[in-house]
Amino acid sequence: MLFAPDTEESLEFVVTLVNTSPGASRSGADEITTVEQLRELLSRYVYSGRIDHDEAELAAVRETRALLREVWTLDRDAAVEAVNRMLREAHALPYLTRHDGSDWHIHATEPTSPLAERIRVEAALALIDVIRTGETNRLRVCGADDCTGIFIDLSKNGSKRFCSVRCGNRVNMVNYRARRFDGQ
């Protein structure tokens, strides 16, 4: 395991959230355009506290999605600035808590804070671990030209290039056909 389990879970949520955008999603469409789609996404992850299930919350989460994608692509020093800004804007104050069957873990916003703010702060806390361990190079954008998906490379040698097997296979097929065409 490269990072603590709660860090990896937070990063996995960021990847899932960011990859709901049109250029990254499996469907090619924006996959969180409705409150119901956001509700379905959240059903796969544990987010305690306030969830409003309204259009304002959906809009704020979509803005957070764009921000997190941007932060994902920054170099280490720029990521530090972005993470610090996210924590500062939320007036984050870390504290230990346990709930919903989880052991002690860190939260840094109140359960009554807006969902998008809690998502940003949780992502910022996870990114702190990535930055401190010098592993920002593990935060990647898919190597497929037609994909804007992101992923975290947790492979032992850090050589993963694509967000999914589907993208890797597609790029490999295109390259194979190009080589085959050039050989004729």
Side-chain angles (χ1 to χ4, degrees):
M1 182 170 294
L2 190 60
F3 302 109
D6 56 336
T7 295
E8 285 188 17
E9 284 177 31
S10 295
L11 295 172
E12 287 172 12
F13 177 76
V14 170
V15 168
T16 300
L17 175 63
V18 170
N19 288 346
T20 62
S21 61
S25 70
R26 280 181 129 348
S27 67
D30 190 331
E31 295 180 345
I32 54 167
T33 59
T34 67
V35 172
E36 185 53 42
Q37 287 173 318
L38 177 58
R39 183 188 322 261
E40 194 283 317
L41 173 70
L42 293 173
S43 73
R44 294 182 269 149
Y45 296 88
V46 176
Y47 264 93
S48 61
R50 172 182 162 193
I51 301 178
D52 297 335
H53 299 294
D54 62 19
E55 292 295 326
E57 181 174 76
L58 174 64
V61 170
R62 288 168 51 104
E63 287 177 25
T64 294
R65 174 180 70 179
L67 171 68
L68 293 176
R69 185 187 193 292
E70 180 184 328
V71 172
W72 199 267
T73 65
L74 297 174
D75 68 42
R76 188 175 187 212
D77 291 343
V80 167
E81 288 181 36
V83 164
N84 284 339
R85 184 175 51 255
M86 286 190 289
L87 294 170
R88 191 171 45 253
E89 288 173 355
H91 306 286
L93 185 59
Y95 63 94
L96 288 167
T97 186
R98 66 177 165 197
H99 56 82
D100 301 321
S102 296
D103 200 2
W104 291 109
H105 59 281
I106 296 175
H107 280 230
T109 56
E110 292 300 318
T112 55
S113 297
L115 175 63
E117 180 177 286
R118 288 183 288 127
I119 290 171
R120 286 190 304 273
V121 169
E122 187 172 307
L125 292 174
L127 289 167
I128 286 171
D129 284 346
V130 175
I131 292 165
R132 285 178 3 144
T133 58
E135 296 288 353
T136 53
N137 61 325
R138 299 282 185 152
L139 306 179
R140 305 257 175 88
V141 175
C142 186
D145 291 338
D146 60 344
C147 181
T148 62
I150 65 169
F151 63 96
I152 181 163
D153 183 358
L154 297 174
S155 67
K156 196 172 203 172
N157 63 0
S159 62
K160 192 172 173 189
R161 294 181 31 222
F162 303 105
C163 68
S164 67
V165 172
R166 185 177 59 106
C167 281
N169 287 345
R170 193 173 62 252
V171 168
N172 289 336
M173 183 55 72
V174 167
N175 291 340
Y176 169 76
R177 287 179 179 157
R179 283 191 310 272
R180 192 168 158 206
F181 180 76
D182 287 342
Q184 289 183 353

